[in-house]
Amino acid sequence: MKKKEMVAMLLAGGQGKRLKSLTKSLAKPAVYFGGTYRIIDFPLSNCSNSGIDTVGVLTQYEPLVLHSYIGVGSDWDLNRKNGGVFVLPPHERENGSSWYRGTADAIYRNLKFVDQFDPEHVLILSGDHIYKMDYNAMLQYHKARNADCTISVIDVPLEEASRFGILNTEDDLRIYEFDEKPAKPKSTLASMGVYIFKWEILRKHLLNDGENAGSSHDFGKDIIPMMLEDGQSLYAYPFEGYWRDVGTVNSLWEANMDLLCDNPPLNLNDPDWRIFTRNPNQPAQYVAPGAQVSGSIINEGCIVRGEVKHSVLFYGVEVGEGSVITDSVIMPKVKIGRNVRIHKAIISENTVIEDYMEIGIDREDEDEILLIDNRSKKRKSVAAKTI
Amino acid sequence: MKQLMGVINLDHELDSLNELTYFRCGAAVPFASRYRLIDFVLSNMMRAELESVGLFVRRKYRSLMDHLGDGKSWDMNRKHGGLFILPPDWNDPTDTSRGDLQHYHNNLDFFKRASAKYIVFSGSQHINSIDLQDLYQYHLEKGADVTLVYKKIDQLQPEHDVCRRIEVDEDHNVTNIHQEKDHHNLYLDIFIIEKKLFLEQVEYCIAHGESYFFRDVIQKNRHKFKIAAYEYEGYHAVINSLESYYKNSLELLQQENYHSLFKENQVQTKIKYEAPTRYLESASVSNSLVANGCIIGGTVENSVLFRGVQVRKGARIINSVIMQKCVIEENAVIENVIMDKDVHLSKDRILVGDSKRPFVIAKSSKI
């Protein structure tokens, strides 16, 4: 294999339990976002746009959808003669087999994969976040400081800091402490789960960690503290821009809603930083006479006859006459009948909503986002009963 | 083994869509929000899983070749067979062929190398969703030399005037081929023939100074050959003039047309990576087809928007076809207009065409 300066390793094996039924039969990075994307499109597109052409994708939980989605990587321009995208599920080895025991273990088990490219640096990514980031700019920062490890951080409000892995740094952003979800945070720099390591140094620590039976084999909990203890130089790389963790039903809904204002903080229409995705190749969307669409994003293949306000419609969704959809995310190929009302809900792929159904109307707890699929109990409106 | 190969012959198609075909051939004209006319015949051939598809084109094919690439979008980037774009680069000093026979004569290798035994020919101006495998089976069952595809048109339109007609007997054999304008059996510019017979006839015709395969072989020998007729009943539109382009574009807003053309997402095109379309708070859209990548803040009625169109607040688009990446600034008004790609219309401008004769704005204009 040709030598590469940097190889990306994308951790995509997570289940994402807090996404409930959305991850029942697919891994979290394959969850839909933003009318046409899956979460993994963001790190893959960032790699492609940053000029990183070699990406290992570590899969484990329910990988079928993810594997077939990634394919040979041509949608992200990652079908290359030298490098490209590689799907790396756990595999049987001479001395037995087991699952990936943690994020660091997933890389440890694929040392041979990384070694093939003899890289100077390795970029570790996760498939849980929505953001646009130039990893090449981060690499230049990492090289300029001759860092052993650079961790991308985002400034979070102090009151939210205890939900994140917080990095405590000197004034020059050299990291002296990693604080996982601290009760009393000393800083507001939260780790984004994006790391660049010198491969030689990371390799050594992975070998140590791999032999350590007491370790949880996690980058945040084990590898970073071990490197700090060994006196390696770790730096924080401040990222400015839109970044959201979409690990829960509510946060996934919120990140979708973030796209809907007239000048959204995450611009998906930037021709210089496209988010690539597998195109489902649907005909143009049709908005019927009498339909009303505002403050929404709608994908191809949709047929809208009702009212769609402040909502996200994925491809192939049909909304019947008289139906009103507000503040909701409607995933691919959902069929919504006539005179349906949906408010503050996420409707899963392929769900059929019959005429006169009411979802999320007149409920007490509006803060919780409803997650609806074909198995959910639904009720018809009073209007339907009187007909 | 695949028994069928395809030829898309654009040689006889006139580029008669005025501004839209000054710099591109008719087959490359954008249509239906996100396609180009050639996508429909290519998708028909893709679904029939042909061994190889040859594209014969003589003029203005840069835009077409850019669109087609290696045929990947139609699954035609194959190790064996797939898509062959065959422009006219001919250097045989002894060549005496003329007309579309030139293409066939100069690309005999394309036909001979394929293992398929039958060839289906099609143009690009008749938009349809024919099942070519069904046509092939029909052709075999009929034991015909040639099978022509036709559609019975109840209400003839001006764009049908230049199309050929066929007369059919009760056994579905073709008894006559002509161009009588009031005849309702429209020939769809699709026929199927055995490769062996085709190559024999090409050689014979060139030796006898003929020029066009359909006219000089099929039409001329209509009483000698056994010519079967295959009736097609699905979506059909002829696009050979600006008026027919405009009319058929807006008729796709009728749901029965949309559904019969796009059932099961059967039409493939070159993939672009646009975000889904964003409707701003001020958007008002009704009875319109909209592709991805648009940002709509104004009013759009009875119109077709291609990818990446921006309609700013207060702008109004009525009964119009707006192609890729046009920008319509604040409070501009457009009615009965066909706007080619990359047009920028400044604030407060008003462009109004006639409902029968749309106003056409050439590509990349700034107004």
Side-chain angles (χ1 to χ4, degrees), chain A residues 205-239:
Chain A
H205 285 89
L206 287 176
L207 285 170
N208 286 340
D209 178 75
E211 301 303 316
N212 180 357
S215 169
S216 58
H217 310 290
D218 185 82
F219 274 101
K221 289 196 195 100
D222 305 288
I223 301 292
I224 301 302
M226 198 200 305
M227 287 180 75
L228 286 168
E229 208 167 291
D230 290 355
Q232 310 284 4
S233 71
L234 285 78
Y235 280 88
Y237 172 72
F239 172 77

Side-chain angles (χ1 to χ4, degrees), chain A residues 66-246:
Chain A
L66 203 50
H67 286 187
S68 58
Y69 183 69
I70 293 167
V72 297
S74 54
D75 286 303
W76 304 270
D77 209 16
L78 290 171
N79 53 335
R80 300 299 179 86
K81 287 252 188 270
N82 289 303
V85 71
F86 298 82
V87 174
L88 304 168
H91 52 271
E92 198 171 355
R93 291 169 302 166
E94 192 186 2
N95 53 358
S97 54
S98 68
W99 301 112
Y100 292 147
R101 295 168 294 172
T103 51
D105 190 49
I107 310 297
Y108 170 64
R109 305 278 201 88
N110 288 286
L111 289 180
K112 273 188 265 180
F113 168 77
V114 181
D115 281 340
Q116 293 177 102
F117 302 99
D118 189 20
E120 305 299 318
H121 308 281
V122 170
L123 170 67
I124 307 291
L125 302 168
S126 65
D128 305 355
H129 305 123
I130 303 297
Y131 64 115
K132 299 196 293 186
M133 179 174 176
D134 184 353
Y135 302 135
N136 191 42
M138 180 174 169
L139 176 63
Q140 299 313 318
Y141 177 98
H142 170 76
K143 280 159 66 180
R145 277 156 189 74
N146 194 25
D148 296 318
C149 170
T150 301
I151 304 175
S152 180
V153 294
I154 189 153
D155 207 5
V156 293
L158 187 64
E159 61 272 20
E160 288 178 26
S162 50
R163 286 172 36 213
F164 294 92
I166 296 296
L167 295 170
N168 298 323
T169 64
E170 313 282 0
D171 289 345
D172 67 350
L173 293 175
R174 183 167 174 152
I175 300 165
Y176 66 85
E177 190 183 28
F178 178 80
D179 229 355
E180 178 70 24
K181 295 180 183 157
K184 284 186 184 165
K186 282 181 262 180
S187 133
T188 54
L189 297 180
S191 167
M192 295 163 59
V194 177
Y195 310 90
I196 293 178
F197 293 95
K198 275 187 187 154
W199 175 234
E200 194 191 335
I201 308 274
L202 176 63
R203 198 177 191 285
K204 195 176 77 189
H205 285 89
L206 287 176
L207 285 170
N208 286 340
D209 178 75
E211 301 303 316
N212 180 357
S215 169
S216 58
H217 310 290
D218 185 82
F219 274 101
K221 289 196 195 100
D222 305 288
I223 301 292
I224 301 302
M226 198 200 305
M227 287 180 75
L228 286 168
E229 208 167 291
D230 290 355
Q232 310 284 4
S233 71
L234 285 78
Y235 280 88
Y237 172 72
F239 172 77
E240 280 172 18
Y242 183 88
W243 179 85
R244 284 290 179 283
D245 185 295
V246 287

Side-chain angles (χ1 to χ4, degrees), chain A residues 34-37 74-76 259-264 267-269 274-291 293-303 305 310, chain B residues 32-35 72-73 252-255 258-259 262 265 267-269 271-295 302 305 307 313 325:
Chain A
T36 193
Y37 308 98
S74 54
D75 286 303
W76 304 270
L259 300 170
L260 299 179
C261 58
D262 282 2
N263 290 301
N267 179 9
L268 297 172
N269 296 86
R274 283 205 189 286
I275 304 304
F276 302 109
T277 183
R278 180 161 289 192
N279 190 310
N281 202 6
Q282 300 268 323
Q285 55 197 274
Y286 176 68
V287 182
V293 182
S294 67
S296 294
I297 60 177
I298 299 192
N299 199 353
E300 287 169 341
C302 288
I303 296 180
R305 298 174 194 287
H310 203 251
Chain B
S33 273
R34 60 190 293 275
Y35 304 93
K72 179 173 183 262
S73 301
L252 276 179
L253 298 173
Q254 292 163 20
Q255 282 296 283
Y258 177 93
H259 286 299
F262 296 120
N265 304 321
V267 189
Q268 303 287 321
T269 187
I271 294 300
K272 300 277 166 105
Y273 294 90
E274 296 283 0
T277 280
R278 200 140 56 81
Y279 295 77
L280 307 185
E281 290 299 334
S282 53
S284 169
V285 179
S286 148
N287 195 34
S288 293
L289 280 176
V290 182
N292 272 353
C294 296
I295 299 177
N302 306 326
L305 265 51
R307 292 187 270 217
K313 282 176 195 172
K325 307 233 152 115

Side-chain angles (χ1 to χ4, degrees), chain B residues 7-76:
Chain B
V7 167
I8 300 172
N9 180 16
L10 306 177
D11 196 56
H12 57 289
E13 296 186 354
L14 301 173
D15 300 327
S16 51
L17 272 64
N18 301 3
E19 286 89 343
L20 301 184
T21 48
Y22 284 171
F23 303 105
R24 54 166 93 87
C25 58
V29 168
F31 183 68
S33 273
R34 60 190 293 275
Y35 304 93
R36 292 184 187 248
L37 292 183
I38 190 122
D39 291 344
F40 298 90
V41 53
L42 273 175
S43 299
N44 290 344
M45 289 190 170
M46 172 188 166
R47 288 198 311 284
E49 299 183 2
L50 307 193
E51 181 196 12
S52 51
V53 173
L55 180 80
F56 296 119
V57 53
R58 200 182 288 262
R59 297 167 302 267
K60 295 192 253 185
Y61 47 75
R62 186 207 57 78
S63 163
L64 190 66
M65 292 188 42
D66 175 51
H67 179 68
L68 297 175
D70 63 353
K72 179 173 183 262
S73 301
W74 302 270
D75 211 16
M76 290 184 187

Side-chain angles (χ1 to χ4, degrees), chain B residues 83-358:
Chain B
L83 181 65
F84 293 80
I85 303 170
L86 303 164
D89 177 31
W90 304 325
N91 306 298
D92 175 5
T94 66
D95 182 11
T96 57
S97 61
R98 295 186 307 192
D100 66 359
L101 295 173
Q102 273 189 304
H103 291 286
Y104 307 141
H105 172 76
N106 286 286
N107 290 293
L108 285 176
D109 283 351
F110 164 71
F111 295 100
K112 288 179 175 167
R113 277 187 195 143
S115 50
K117 291 197 167 55
Y118 292 84
I119 314 173
V120 60
F121 287 76
S122 178
S124 75
Q125 292 180 333
H126 290 261
I127 309 298
N128 63 79
S129 55
I130 188 173
D131 178 348
L132 294 172
Q133 277 297 335
D134 192 55
L135 168 66
Y136 169 57
Q137 293 305 328
Y138 179 87
H139 177 72
L140 295 182
E141 281 160 26
K142 291 289 286 181
D145 295 316
V146 181
T147 299
L148 308 185
V149 177
Y150 75 102
K151 183 177 168 82
K152 242 181 229 157
I153 307 282
D154 295 334
Q155 288 183 311
L156 290 166
Q157 303 291 327
E159 67 264 26
H160 296 144
D161 284 358
V162 296
C163 301
R164 284 196 173 86
R165 320 294 159 124
I166 62 173
E167 286 178 26
V168 180
D169 66 15
E170 60 256 28
D171 297 325
H172 304 284
N173 292 313
V174 174
T175 56
N176 210 350
I177 303 171
H178 53 67
Q179 236 162 310
E180 285 176 25
K181 285 179 190 173
D182 53 356
H183 196 92
H184 290 262
N185 289 344
L186 210 67
Y187 167 58
L188 299 195
D189 207 7
I190 300 171
F191 69 90
I192 184 168
I193 187 170
E194 194 182 355
K195 185 166 82 179
K196 186 163 162 281
L197 177 62
F198 168 74
L199 292 176
E200 282 168 13
Q201 290 297 324
V202 167
E203 196 178 339
Y204 179 88
C205 277
I206 292 170
H208 290 79
E210 310 280 27
S211 351
Y212 289 97
F213 191 83
F214 189 89
R215 187 191 69 193
D216 300 333
V217 176
I218 297 175
Q219 193 163 0
K220 197 170 177 184
N221 293 305
R222 61 194 181 277
H223 302 302
K224 196 172 115 196
F225 287 155
K226 178 172 163 56
I227 303 181
Y230 176 93
E231 187 178 2
Y232 166 74
E233 291 179 326
Y235 177 90
H236 173 251
V238 184
I239 295 182
N240 54 12
S241 64
L242 264 182
E243 291 74 17
S244 58
Y245 175 83
Y246 180 64
K247 183 178 64 183
N248 284 299
S249 291
L250 296 189
E251 280 181 359
L252 276 179
L253 298 173
Q254 292 163 20
Q255 282 296 283
E256 61 274 20
N257 290 334
Y258 177 93
H259 286 299
S260 65
L261 183 56
F262 296 120
K263 62 182 176 213
E264 291 148 24
N265 304 321
Q266 56 187 0
V267 189
Q268 303 287 321
T269 187
K270 182 183 176 185
I271 294 300
K272 300 277 166 105
Y273 294 90
E274 296 283 0
T277 280
R278 200 140 56 81
Y279 295 77
L280 307 185
E281 290 299 334
S282 53
S284 169
V285 179
S286 148
N287 195 34
S288 293
L289 280 176
V290 182
N292 272 353
C294 296
I295 299 177
I296 304 176
T299 300
V300 181
E301 283 171 23
N302 306 326
S303 293
V304 176
L305 265 51
F306 284 71
R307 292 187 270 217
V309 170
Q310 294 186 36
V311 183
R312 303 263 161 85
K313 282 176 195 172
R316 284 167 58 80
I317 298 177
I318 300 155
N319 300 334
S320 294
V321 177
I322 311 293
M323 292 190 195
Q324 297 94 299
K325 307 233 152 115
C326 287
V327 178
I328 315 300
E329 286 202 39
E330 284 81 355
N331 303 320
V333 177
I334 297 175
E335 191 170 348
N336 303 330
V337 166
I338 298 174
M339 196 175 262
D340 205 338
K341 290 167 68 174
D342 294 310
V343 173
H344 193 111
L345 185 66
S346 319
K347 280 183 190 175
D348 306 318
R349 297 286 161 143
I350 298 175
L351 296 178
V352 181
D354 183 84
S355 63
K356 295 278 177 247
R357 288 221 151 221

